[in-house]
Amino acid sequence: MPAGIAKEVVETELKDSVDNLFAWFDATPFASASMAQVHQAISLTGDRMALKVQRPGIQDIILEDIKVMYSIAHVLERRIPSIQSFDPVGLVQNFETSILKELDFIHESINVQRFYNNLELDKGLDQFAHGPKVFLEFTTGKVLAMTMINGIKIDKISELEDAGIDKNIIARRLAISYYKQIFEYGFFHADPHPGNLLVLPNSHICYLDFGMMGSILPRDIEIFGQLFLSIINKDVHKIIKVLQKLSNNATIKNMRGLEYDINEFVEKYYVREIHENELSTVLLELKDIIIDHGLKVPTHFYLFARSLITIEGVIEKLDPSLEQFDIVRPYLLKSVAKKYDPIKMTKNLLNSLYEVNKYMEEFPNDLKNAIAKINSGQIKVDISHKGIDPMVHSIQRVAKQLVSTFIIVALIIGSSLFIISQIGPLWGGISAIGIIGF
């Protein structure tokens, strides 16, 4: 994007000239991407800022691409039934929601603030992450102003070594900071490639570009925690129960087949090298098992797996020998233990008691209203029995057969009595009526 156009976008969005807005504005970008580019600026109060400026017309281009993606997704669902477990249309919808949010810099500014607040509230000794702050007065839907942060890109190994920074420590701290985002904050950076990660002089990791973020509900955090712990403990039945939860308690048609596949997966997990058991690998292999057995994978599953693949690639480049499961285990245990927190359990119990008490207070009045409606004829009950017609036909057929049987038996017995009693007229000394009955 030419310098003049970037300057024009800033002035249009902030409704003033850059000379009036800033003490200094660099028209030449120091970073550029497909949707935006970043310029340096200094505010009138002396704050150094990074201004992210959106490319004009980029939204129209992306919307056209999304239309094509929807067309392809619908064709795939119609022509390849087995692919429906992937939910192609759902994936496109998820992508559309994500990319449109990424185009809205107000939304991204909220992500930046939320991420920053999570880090500020975390007073633990294992908090090694950093994030920029937002200058709201210089932020709009197409311009995002953040604190300017200098550091070394995390994949510049030689520069890290020249600065006296231990890349193995960085790898460990990166893993810790990322797993905390997932299993403690429930809000994680969904695009953690090397270009979005800086190493600061104190060996902390600074995250950049918050257009694509992932959120996990507390329930899902617990589910993923149980899943990974069950794999570590080789608990096949527990894994199946967790997968059912992940698939919204879908019915399992072939339980024995699923047990076999999960058991094979677990056994394979225990004989592989540790670096082959990364969380993303585990998720993707389980995804194949889920699909093979007709269970549905939630759409956020893919964003989670994709993010893990990216971060694990960065970590492996820094320290290939790092055992990531050993790092993530304490956070998995903590995520599952939250369910049994005495304070939380007491709070849930009190809420349940309140709901029961409220229900009991309202029950007499509800019952009175229901009886009044019944007496006034306002309530009508329609009962329909599905599948009763075949049963009725069967009963009718059996009844006809029974009647026929009784008639035949009666004829035989009656004819026998006519013959024994020699009731006339006789034919050859035998009752003619009796012979006709037979």
Side-chain angles (χ1 to χ4, degrees), residues 8-228:
E8 184 180 330
V9 171
V10 172
E11 292 179 337
T12 301
E13 289 293 311
L14 300 180
K15 297 179 174 56
D16 204 345
S17 68
V18 292
D19 295 331
N20 292 333
L21 292 165
F22 307 107
W24 174 72
F25 173 80
D26 189 353
T28 303
F30 71 89
S32 183
S34 58
M35 292 193 297
Q37 58 190 37
V38 188
H39 298 257
Q40 292 189 70
I42 298 176
S43 71
L44 297 176
T45 56
D47 294 312
R48 295 183 67 243
M49 295 186 293
L51 288 179
K52 185 176 179 180
V53 183
Q54 190 175 121
R55 297 181 184 277
I58 189 65
Q59 184 165 345
D60 294 335
I61 295 171
I62 289 175
L63 288 174
E64 288 300 317
D65 291 342
I66 289 173
K67 288 180 183 178
V68 175
M69 292 171 68
Y70 270 117
S71 299
I72 294 172
H74 284 297
V75 170
L76 289 173
E77 282 198 343
R78 285 197 307 269
R79 300 193 177 183
I80 310 176
S82 61
I83 210 170
Q84 289 180 6
S85 296
F86 287 94
D87 191 12
V89 174
L91 287 175
V92 176
Q93 288 173 340
N94 198 47
F95 172 78
E96 180 183 20
T97 301
S98 177
I99 200 72
L100 291 180
K101 285 181 179 178
E102 197 169 347
L103 285 168
D104 180 5
F105 287 177
I106 293 293
H107 176 78
E108 183 173 350
S109 73
I110 294 171
N111 287 342
V112 177
Q113 290 173 288
R114 185 176 171 186
F115 187 85
Y116 180 83
N117 290 340
N118 284 340
L119 301 182
E120 285 293 296
L121 292 171
D122 187 347
K123 304 301 181 183
L125 297 176
D126 57 350
Q127 206 297 83
F128 304 113
H130 186 74
K133 289 192 289 186
V134 176
F135 294 95
L136 293 175
E137 64 271 28
F138 298 107
T139 296
T140 70
K142 295 182 179 178
V143 175
L144 175 59
M146 299 171 287
T147 49
M148 182 69 193
I149 299 174
N150 294 315
I152 302 172
K153 283 191 176 182
I154 202 163
D155 60 341
K156 304 294 184 182
I157 305 298
S158 59
E159 292 184 28
L160 292 174
E161 291 173 346
D162 292 341
I165 296 173
D166 189 332
K167 63 184 181 66
N168 292 340
I169 291 177
I170 297 302
R172 187 174 189 82
R173 289 185 171 185
L174 177 61
I176 290 171
S177 72
Y178 203 74
Y179 294 138
K180 281 172 72 73
Q181 290 174 43
I182 295 170
F183 295 106
E184 286 193 5
Y185 311 152
F187 184 67
F188 62 95
H189 198 295
D191 193 20
H193 63 77
N196 289 336
L197 299 168
L198 293 178
V199 178
L200 304 182
N202 62 355
S203 294
H204 283 204
I205 294 92
C206 179
Y207 289 79
L208 305 174
D209 192 353
F210 298 85
M212 190 180 295
M213 301 293 289
S215 293
I216 306 182
L217 293 171
R219 170 185 176 274
D220 290 336
I221 293 174
E222 182 191 334
I223 287 174
F224 283 119
Q226 289 177 342
L227 177 62
F228 291 120

Side-chain angles (χ1 to χ4, degrees), residues 371-385:
I371 293 172
K373 287 183 178 181
I374 292 171
N375 291 334
S376 64
Q378 294 180 25
I379 295 179
K380 295 181 180 179
V381 180
D382 294 325
I383 301 176
S384 65
H385 295 278

Side-chain angles (χ1 to χ4, degrees), residues 228-434:
F228 291 120
L229 288 174
S230 300
I231 292 169
I232 293 171
N233 296 328
K234 298 182 70 173
D235 190 339
V236 173
H237 292 289
K238 183 71 172 179
I239 294 171
I240 291 174
K241 287 179 66 176
V242 174
L243 290 181
Q244 276 189 290
K245 285 184 183 179
L246 192 63
S247 303
N248 291 323
N249 295 315
T251 303
I252 297 173
K253 296 178 181 178
N254 183 5
M255 179 62 77
R256 190 173 185 83
L258 180 59
E259 286 181 1
Y260 176 83
D261 289 343
I262 294 295
N263 186 69
E264 286 296 298
F265 162 76
V266 168
E267 293 301 328
K268 185 169 65 173
Y269 166 84
Y270 268 86
V271 299
R272 289 188 303 199
E273 295 293 329
I274 190 69
H275 70 275
E276 294 177 316
N277 285 328
E278 294 166 339
L279 298 189
S280 61
T281 305
V282 170
L283 284 179
L284 292 175
E285 289 192 11
L286 282 175
K287 179 262 300 178
D288 292 335
I289 294 175
I290 291 171
I291 291 171
D292 288 344
H293 288 272
L295 303 175
K296 200 165 187 177
V297 182
T299 51
H300 70 266
F301 185 97
Y302 295 99
L303 182 64
F304 183 40
R306 174 185 175 275
S307 305
L308 285 173
I309 291 170
T310 305
I311 200 73
E312 287 168 355
V314 178
I315 293 169
E316 188 172 347
K317 186 174 180 181
L318 291 166
D319 183 5
S321 64
L322 184 65
E323 296 185 4
Q324 296 187 44
F325 252 112
D326 288 345
I327 293 175
V328 76
R329 189 194 297 262
Y331 302 104
L332 297 175
L333 290 169
K334 194 182 296 185
S335 69
V336 174
K338 284 180 181 178
K339 181 179 180 181
Y340 305 101
D341 178 23
I343 296 175
K344 186 177 179 181
M345 292 175 70
T346 303
K347 184 178 178 181
N348 291 338
L349 178 60
L350 291 174
N351 286 336
S352 299
L353 290 173
Y354 171 77
E355 291 295 330
V356 170
N357 181 61
K358 187 176 178 182
Y359 174 77
M360 293 304 294
E361 287 179 356
E362 295 174 352
F363 178 74
N365 192 47
D366 291 341
L367 181 61
K368 182 180 178 181
N369 291 336
I371 293 172
K373 287 183 178 181
I374 292 171
N375 291 334
S376 64
Q378 294 180 25
I379 295 179
K380 295 181 180 179
V381 180
D382 294 325
I383 301 176
S384 65
H385 295 278
K386 292 185 177 180
I388 198 170
D389 289 342
M391 185 177 70
V392 170
H393 292 314
S394 297
I395 292 172
Q396 290 175 341
R397 188 173 64 253
V398 171
K400 288 178 181 178
Q401 290 174 349
L402 286 172
V403 170
S404 299
T405 302
F406 286 135
I407 291 172
I408 292 170
V409 169
L411 284 172
I412 292 173
I413 293 173
S415 298
S416 299
L417 290 173
F418 270 92
I419 292 171
I420 293 170
S421 302
Q422 293 185 339
I423 297 173
L426 299 176
W427 183 73
I430 299 174
S431 172
I433 296 174

